[in-house]
Amino acid sequence: MTPKKILRRPQPVNSPDWGQSLPPILRRLYAARGVHSDEQLQYTLKHLASPMQLRGIDRAVELLADAVVHKQRVMILGDFDADGATSTAVAMLGLSMLGVPAVDFRVPSRFSDGYGLTPGIIHRLQEEGELPDLLVTVDNGISAIEGVRAARDLGIKVVVTDHHLAGEELPDADAIVNPNQPGCPFFSKNAAGVGVMFYVLTALRKHLRDHNLLPSPEPNLGTLLDLVALGTVADVVPLDHNNRIFVEQGIRRIRKGEARPGILALLKVAGRDHTEISSTDLGFVVGPRLNAAGRLDDMSIGIACLLADNPDEALRLAQELDTFNRERRTIEKDMKSQAQELLASMSLDIDGLPWGLALFDPDWHQGVIGILAARIREQTHRPTIAFAPDDDGVSLKGSARSIPGLHIRDALAVVDAKSPGLMKKYGGHAMAAGMTIARDDLEAFSKAFDEAVRDSLKPEDLEAAIVTDGPLAPAELNLDTAYLLKRSGPWGQHFPEPLFDGEFNVVSQRIVGENHLKLVLQPAEGGGIIDAIAFNTGPEVPDYTRSGARVVYKPDANTFRGRTNLQLMVDYLEPLG
């Protein structure tokens, strides 16, 4: 394991004066995550922010209401990740429920179209005789200057719904709904694309109700919340209070079996019991299988799975997605080995290794470079961009992942300002971004990116750290604690799942499945023995039975042969002494 500093999350000095009915451990954990009132733990829908705070939503609703009244044809333009897929499914289902008579979708190909609404997509729709009256982008569009222009030149009205950061120029759309556009007062800037589209639907429903245009019985948009939860978690947006409401409400539906057949099928092929899922399962089980379609083939398969009403059809598509995911893992493993060879040629000293890594191999797969960048970022604790060849033969597509302290899109903006034209296009968030450069400009870009990173970070920022909630007392190391924590989320980005650390005697250890370390632990201060497992340690590990170990872990319930016991899921461990 890469050595890390173990830091403990600051705890409140005084006991909180809220949450009096909560167990003390939860009050402590919530307070350390910025909760300061009981209301912040209320996850009913009435606590959601009003959609009418979103700039542009009135005009968007007018255009969609016209589509209902005048029976216009609506096209949804999605994206090839899980947020884009769930946004597309929510738009398709929601607009149909609200009375739009003809609604269809298109998703750009990662390989031939690139990201978002482009003139090429519009021209292809024209050639196919498929031009809509109204085009709605979901999880994209805020940077589609040329694509929107091409659509409007052909008389198509365009509504942009997005959540990505806006550039200096906005597209000339008929309406833009994006909490991150300039001048938008909506307080939850962390909404995922699927959340923005859901808000548009709720505002449209109110408008139609006010004008006596709603179908009867009134559509229940709450049936879409499982999709909203999945897209929100899978896109790794910060789980502020508003997003936690979306996620908690969606998870409740899934646990009750009231989810889309496709989500239930994806859980089934992964061997997960839908009645016991948490937000972690959405992010690490369902999300990757859905994303695999957009990475390796066509996200339309993933969207079809989410839209399927027949459970057998949903299961067939989920099995296909699971196969894609297995293939993705194999490709990723090979690419990571190639990346390791590149890194081996570099010094790992701060003065030798670039602070901002830009890696390229001509055999790398466009659909997997984002995951690869994340893996290398985890290993080196440096902002990392992985590049793969573009289909045009002269360009490279890059996917970036950042570390705390560096807003990656802002760093790319610095590169663009200092070296105009070095990037053909770019965009993204604080922690992830994408860009396209000329193949011949890789060396120049690498130097410019490294310089921008060095200007933004300090040497200590490159030291990997893991933040915990401190120790659990031996009396708290039990199944009740594991169950309590699992049900007390939703946990996620910026509202992290509880992570603890402590010193343990290691009674025994062995490698299982070639790369995983199985341990039997005993708290150093005394107590019973506890099973633990650390995944992907590799076969060569220290002998912790001699030294003992400081262990960073999450309590979990492990069921084996009908018996359920406490098991610690180890995120990190190091020898004592």
Side-chain angles (χ1 to χ4, degrees), residues 399-515:
S399 187
R401 297 295 183 270
S402 194
I403 63 174
L406 181 76
H407 192 300
I408 193 70
R409 186 187 177 280
D410 288 352
L412 294 176
V414 170
V415 172
D416 191 49
K418 291 185 175 181
S419 304
L422 194 55
M423 290 181 290
K424 297 181 179 180
K425 57 182 178 180
Y426 71 96
H429 296 294
M431 299 301 289
M435 75 293 299
T436 301
I437 66 172
R439 190 165 183 160
D440 291 342
D441 287 339
L442 176 62
E443 183 177 353
F445 175 82
S446 299
K447 291 179 179 178
F449 177 60
D450 181 47
E451 181 181 325
V453 173
R454 287 176 182 269
D455 287 343
S456 300
L457 296 179
K458 303 181 293 296
E460 53 266 33
D461 294 327
L462 303 181
E463 298 178 32
I466 188 165
V467 180
T468 81
D469 292 288
L472 284 177
E476 295 175 311
L477 284 166
N478 54 49
L479 272 174
D480 288 341
T481 299
Y483 286 133
L484 176 68
L485 297 178
K486 185 172 184 178
R487 290 283 183 169
S488 299
W491 312 107
Q493 187 77 355
H494 290 197
F495 201 77
E497 185 176 5
L499 192 63
F500 304 96
D501 74 90
E503 296 184 355
F504 292 85
N505 299 318
V506 179
V507 178
S508 66
Q509 68 179 66
R510 61 189 174 93
I511 296 295
V512 295
E514 297 185 358
N515 282 308

Side-chain angles (χ1 to χ4, degrees), residues 31 106 110 160 165 169 223 262 281 287 312 315-316 341 347 387 450 453 499 501-502 524 548 556 567:
R106 287 292 178 94
R110 181 188 295 269
V160 167
L165 296 174
E169 182 182 0
T223 60
D281 295 301
D312 292 335
L315 182 59
R316 183 189 68 78
E341 294 177 5
S347 168
F387 284 99
D450 181 47
V453 173
L499 192 63
D501 74 90
D556 188 42
Q567 179 175 257

Side-chain angles (χ1 to χ4, degrees), residues 288 295-296 324-332 368 371:
R295 293 187 187 283
L296 300 186
F324 280 137
N325 194 48
R326 294 175 190 274
E327 182 182 348
R328 185 270 304 169
R329 288 175 181 168
T330 300
I331 294 171
E332 177 194 340
V368 188
I371 298 175

Side-chain angles (χ1 to χ4, degrees), residues 102-141:
V103 57
D104 201 355
F105 75 90
R106 287 292 178 94
V107 181
S109 165
R110 181 188 295 269
F111 310 105
S112 58
D113 295 314
Y115 171 76
L117 175 61
T118 62
I121 292 173
I122 299 300
H123 296 151
R124 190 156 62 250
L125 288 173
Q126 183 180 29
E127 291 170 359
E128 296 169 359
E130 298 290 337
L131 289 177
D133 301 297
L134 175 64
L135 189 146
V136 180
T137 71
V138 291
D139 191 34
N140 74 93

